[in-house]
Each structure stands twice: as C-alpha cells, then as structure tokens.
Amino acid sequence: SIALPSAPLLTGAPNFRDLGGYTIVDDKRIRPGLIYRSESLAELTDQDLSTVASLGIRLICYLRSSHERRQFPSRWPERPPATTPHLDISADLRAGHEAMGRALLDTIEAGATQAMPPSYRQFPAAFARRLAPLLDRLLASDGLSLVSHCAAGKDRTGFVAAILLIALDVSWAQVLEDYLLTAKHWHGPGSEAVLRQVPHALFGDSPPADIPPPLLIVEEQYLATAFEAITSQYASIEAHLERTAGLDAKRRAASRDALFE
C-alpha cells in the first residue's frame, strides 16, 4: 500500500496522483515523480498551474475525445513545454457507450451498475491499436515525467494505469488499490466541477440533466471485467501485452530497470 496524501495535490483536479511507490516482488518500487494519472485538467487553478510546473511534466497523454477537448480545454503552464499526443478511443467505444448510456437511463438506480461492465469489456479491444504507442511513451520516457488523463480519471485512465502497472509486474492487489483510490479522492467543490464533465464523455452534446450514479463510482467488478475480457481471448495478460504492444519479457524488464528504484 502507498500512503494517501492528506489533501489533493491539485485543487482543480483532486484525482490527480502519482503512481510512484507501488512495489514488485523484490521490493523495488516505482520511482515517485515519473508517472501521474488524472481526471480533466480544465479546472486547474492558478496555484495548480504553479504546482504542475514544478513537477516538470513533459508529456500529457490525452485519453479524451476531440469533443471533450473542445468542450473542456485543459489549463496547463506554458513551461516546461509538454508534448500532448491525443489517444482518442471514442470511435472504438461509441457503439458500446451509446448502448451503456441507454441502459443507464432506462434502468432503475439499483440495477444500473450492471450497465457499466459491458463498457469496460470493450476497453482492451478499443485500446489495442493505441496500446503500443501509449506504452512506448509511458515506458520509454527517458526519465521525463508524464501524465495520462481522461474526463473523470477513473474509467479510461483507470484501465490504462492498471495495464501499465501490470506490465511492470505490480500485483493485482495494488492495481486494484490504485483503481479504487478514486473514490477517496473525489470530494469537495473541485470534484464537483470535474464530475459535471463526465456525462459529455458518454452522451456528447446532449447529456442528461442528472448524472446516472454508476458513472460516478468505481467498483472492483468494473476493472475485473476488462481483464476478464483479456484472459478470455489470450492465454494471459502477458500474452496480450506482447501481442498488442510488443512488450515481451525483455522489454518489460528494461522498463522496470528504467522506472523502479
């Protein structure tokens, strides 16, 4: 386990956090200050801009659609300059997202959580074509700090963070711990502003007036569904990583050497 900060690092993005500190079997740990994950960066305060400037982040991996980026443009300091590849998977998820949206709106609250796993089940296939360039950037960043983010920092970003941690041989218990931390970070006015953006990721220009509750929570079942989809198609998650991202044992070992202390 890693210690949860007593307060969010960023007021306007309370789910922004460092993946540093997670360990593998020989007690090596991911070096802090290298890999961050976040929700939308559109609500950063001036103080937040000073904070992120001090982190030296040089790569921002956008997991949002072009619509989300136009609707909620990120705030980010001009220096240090950051590269911003757009890894939009909305086209790959659109049919499933529309089906999930209908299910969320058509079901009663008690049963609506059943509409989320089908969307997660699509993540491995939706990310497959982008997994190689994404992990290449994350794992071969030459020591440069980076952040990946979506709207809420829980679904798309949660899956990418989980894939990355597993690629580095972090245990499933720690992967799940990191995923569920979102529930502890979402609180206060900073979270409320960010959460208003969530329906746009799913419903586009015409989100419902009330956000369906399942969109605002994280459940172990959600993330587990994504990885069950992987193991149902491949012999193992490692085989999936090698096939879709070219991450064989040698490259994964090199990545650990670069990112662990």
Side-chain angles (χ1 to χ4, degrees):
S1 297
I2 61 173
L4 184 67
S6 57
L9 184 63
L10 302 180
T11 301
N15 204 22
F16 180 99
R17 60 185 188 268
D18 194 341
L19 290 184
Y22 290 113
T23 60
I24 53 177
V25 290
D26 54 5
D27 289 332
K28 290 183 178 180
R29 66 171 192 157
I30 300 175
R31 283 189 285 143
L34 280 184
I35 305 172
Y36 298 90
R37 55 172 293 179
S38 183
E39 70 271 73
S40 168
L41 303 171
E43 302 291 337
L44 297 192
T45 66
D46 290 344
Q47 180 58 53
D48 290 339
L49 294 180
S50 297
T51 300
V52 295
S54 72
L55 299 177
I57 293 172
R58 301 296 296 276
L59 181 66
I60 306 170
C61 294
Y62 290 121
L63 304 178
R64 301 185 302 163
S65 67
S66 57
H67 166 78
E68 291 174 88
R69 294 195 303 273
R70 289 192 303 270
Q71 190 83 4
F72 304 102
S74 295
R75 296 195 74 202
W76 197 259
E78 292 184 2
R79 296 192 177 279
T83 303
T84 56
H86 294 155
L87 300 164
D88 180 5
I89 63 165
S90 59
D92 303 82
L93 287 174
R94 188 168 293 123
H97 266 40
E98 289 174 357
M100 186 176 78
R102 288 193 299 271
L104 285 167
L105 295 175
D106 292 345
T107 57
I108 59 172
E109 179 176 328
T113 52
Q114 299 307 309
M116 289 295 286
S119 182
Y120 271 75
R121 195 171 293 119
Q122 293 185 84
F123 281 169
F127 273 104
R129 290 186 295 123
R130 295 160 180 81
L131 203 54
L134 175 59
L135 292 182
D136 281 346
R137 289 176 182 275
L138 290 174
L139 300 178
S141 57
D142 298 324
L144 298 179
S145 297
L146 56 94
V147 60
S148 60
H149 83 94
C150 56
K154 75 180 185 75
D155 300 318
R156 290 166 289 184
T157 298
F159 175 73
V160 166
I163 279 283
L164 173 62
L165 292 174
I166 286 177
L168 294 171
D169 284 343
V170 172
S171 68
W172 175 253
Q174 291 179 94
V175 169
L176 187 59
E177 175 188 10
D178 177 72
Y179 173 73
L180 295 175
L181 278 179
T182 288
K184 297 183 179 180
H185 281 275
W186 274 1
H187 54 79
S191 295
E192 292 168 10
V194 169
L195 291 179
R196 285 195 293 271
Q197 302 176 32
V198 174
H200 290 269
L202 183 62
F203 299 99
D205 291 319
S206 303
D210 297 318
I211 304 174
L215 289 182
L216 307 183
I217 62 175
V218 285
E219 293 278 358
E220 178 177 351
Q221 173 198 3
Y222 297 171
L223 189 63
T225 298
F227 285 88
E228 287 166 3
I230 292 175
T231 55
S232 68
Q233 184 174 358
Y234 297 88
S236 64
I237 295 172
E238 291 75 16
H240 168 75
L241 289 168
E242 184 167 354
R243 179 75 64 84
T244 60
L247 276 181
D248 58 16
K250 183 177 180 180
R251 283 197 67 208
R252 292 173 66 199
S255 300
R256 289 193 296 273
D257 289 343
L259 297 175
F260 280 77
E261 61 181 13

